[in-house]
Amino acid sequence: MKEQAASFCRTQLPRVSRTFALNIPLLPGPLDLAVTVAYLLCRIADTVEDESPGGDPCALLDELGALVSLEPGWEARARSFAGRARLALRDEAPPAEAELVSETAAVLEALASLPSWVQPPIARCVRTMTGGMNQIQRMHGASGQVMGLPDLQATFLYCYYVAGVVGEMLTGLFIASAPRVAWREELLMPRAPAFGRALQLTNILKDVREDLDRGSCWLPRDRLAAHGLTPATLALPSRRARAVALMDELVAVARRELDVALEYSLALPAEEAGLRLFCLYPLFFAVATLDAVEGNPDVLEPAPVKIRRETVAALMRLTQERVASDEALRELYARCSRGPGGGVEAWT
């Protein structure tokens, strides 16, 4: 059964995340399975939050946060949770994510099969994430929906709860699995939340129209108001110039977070190429995504803005070639970040 659970996790990963299906296999075992399981548990929480707007996801999130402690009897409770959580999802929920929620017990079984050093950081992450999601829902949600957060600080707090804690968890797993990383803890831990926040803020900007169509918005209302916008008017064609100006302002914020994420990645030992590439892939994909969002009115249209597969492949190759050189990676990052004559598309 444990082998079946691990197999399910490995098979399900590429169905729910293109990015992490590319970088998790770079990690050594059993870290690769540990991070796979951790990602899937976080994705279950995210799906419950995003795809059950008609009900109250808070009770389910609390239950998931308790399940990851694997207290005696967790198996039966996990099966019960999975059934109720699946029924709470809207009919339009992506099938792969709905299936993942239905198989929560299998993901937890895979977690239980991993070495003891894996479980505490993952359990802490999921508990913090689900508790934070609930806090945001109770403070700013209405009928399970959040239509804007008060200010940038609140948006950053949300990004911490859903991604910054993941950066902290990953750092804990890296330290526990790789002795060469342990002595760099003081460099890594302060930067870990920014790494997660940067990726989450990038996703919020990229998915702004999809979230609006689903009845949610994670942008700061004070910055919306400064541009004469509200969540309800953000996607109106008549407000497009104002919306693009707002998005560009927030792209600049995300870029500053990515600057810290780069320093986090370079703080990992050059000898740990797998760990570095695990971080560098999504970092450079985020740079490319922000390049695609900045100044682009299409990000407010229903069709999603995506980076090209050729760009993804080129960034993977370029980071692989430079993974051992801090100087070369800094140069690549500077050239890929949009500026005069720059941008990922120009460089790749």
Side-chain angles (χ1 to χ4, degrees):
M1 290 297 292
K2 292 180 179 179
E3 291 76 11
Q4 291 178 351
S7 177
F8 168 79
C9 291
R10 295 186 192 280
T11 301
Q12 197 70 8
L13 177 66
R15 298 188 64 212
V16 296
S17 175
R18 182 181 69 172
T19 298
F20 284 94
L22 292 174
N23 68 343
I24 288 179
L26 298 168
L27 299 172
L31 186 60
D32 60 338
L33 180 58
V35 175
T36 297
V37 169
Y39 176 81
L40 293 179
L41 288 169
C42 293
R43 192 58 177 262
I44 291 168
D46 188 59
T47 301
V48 169
E49 181 194 42
D50 286 348
E51 301 295 342
S52 55
D56 181 5
C58 293
L60 289 170
L61 290 170
D62 281 340
E63 193 171 351
L64 179 61
L67 278 171
V68 292
S69 297
L70 300 177
E71 298 293 335
W74 66 263
E75 296 93 340
R77 292 195 298 274
R79 290 191 293 271
S80 174
F81 165 86
R84 287 178 285 108
R86 176 63 185 88
L87 288 174
L89 302 183
R90 64 189 183 121
D91 293 340
E92 299 82 3
E97 296 185 11
E99 181 183 2
L100 176 60
V101 170
S102 297
E103 296 295 333
T104 300
V107 182
L108 288 170
E109 185 174 353
L111 175 63
S113 73
L114 286 163
S116 58
W117 55 266
V118 167
Q119 295 163 12
I122 293 179
R124 177 191 174 278
C125 173
V126 176
R127 284 196 302 269
T128 303
M129 178 180 292
T130 54
M133 287 176 171
N134 274 344
Q135 178 181 329
I136 296 295
Q137 287 286 345
R138 289 170 179 140
M139 291 176 63
H140 309 296
S143 301
Q145 295 173 305
V146 173
M147 284 302 286
L149 295 166
D151 50 33
L152 189 58
Q153 183 177 0
T155 297
F156 264 34
L157 181 62
Y158 173 73
C159 289
Y160 170 75
Y161 282 138
V162 300
V165 294
V166 176
E168 293 173 343
M169 174 203 64
L170 289 170
T171 306
L173 293 175
F174 292 167
I175 289 169
S177 65
R180 277 183 292 217
V181 179
W183 69 274
R184 302 197 177 195
E185 180 175 1
E186 291 186 0
L187 290 174
L188 292 165
M189 273 301 185
R191 296 174 170 87
F195 191 98
R197 286 196 308 263
L199 300 185
Q200 183 62 29
L201 187 53
T202 299
N203 284 337
I204 287 173
L205 296 175
K206 173 180 68 73
D207 298 334
V208 63
R209 177 58 189 264
E210 180 182 346
D211 287 340
L212 286 170
D213 290 345
R214 215 163 36 196
S216 297
C217 178
W218 306 102
L219 302 184
R221 287 194 299 268
D222 65 337
R223 301 316 309 151
L224 282 159
H227 290 269
L229 297 165
T230 68
T233 62
L234 178 59
L236 292 178
S238 61
R239 307 292 181 91
R240 196 53 43 92
R242 296 182 182 189
V244 170
L246 167 70
M247 296 292 285
D248 286 355
E249 177 185 322
L250 296 176
V251 163
V253 174
R255 289 193 191 280
R256 290 194 291 271
E257 292 289 283
L258 282 177
D259 291 345
V260 182
L262 177 67
E263 297 308 314
Y264 175 92
S265 303
L266 298 184
L268 292 165
E271 298 85 356
E272 297 288 350
L275 301 188
R276 275 197 165 195
L277 288 172
F278 171 85
C279 296
L280 290 168
Y281 280 9
L283 189 158
F284 278 93
F285 298 161
V287 170
T289 299
L290 292 178
D291 283 356
V293 168
E294 187 172 4
N296 186 0
D298 288 346
V299 75
L300 279 305
E301 297 292 341
V305 170
K306 296 182 178 180
I307 57 176
R308 298 181 302 119
R309 289 186 177 183
E310 295 82 0
T311 301
V312 170
L315 289 172
M316 291 169 63
R317 174 179 54 82
L318 290 165
T319 52
Q320 289 168 10
E321 292 170 352
R322 293 158 173 77
V323 66
S325 171
D326 290 5
E327 181 180 359
L329 286 168
R330 289 185 193 280
E331 180 187 11
L332 178 64
Y333 179 81
R335 287 178 177 267
C336 285
S337 296
R338 174 168 286 182
V344 167
E345 295 295 336
W347 179 241
T348 58

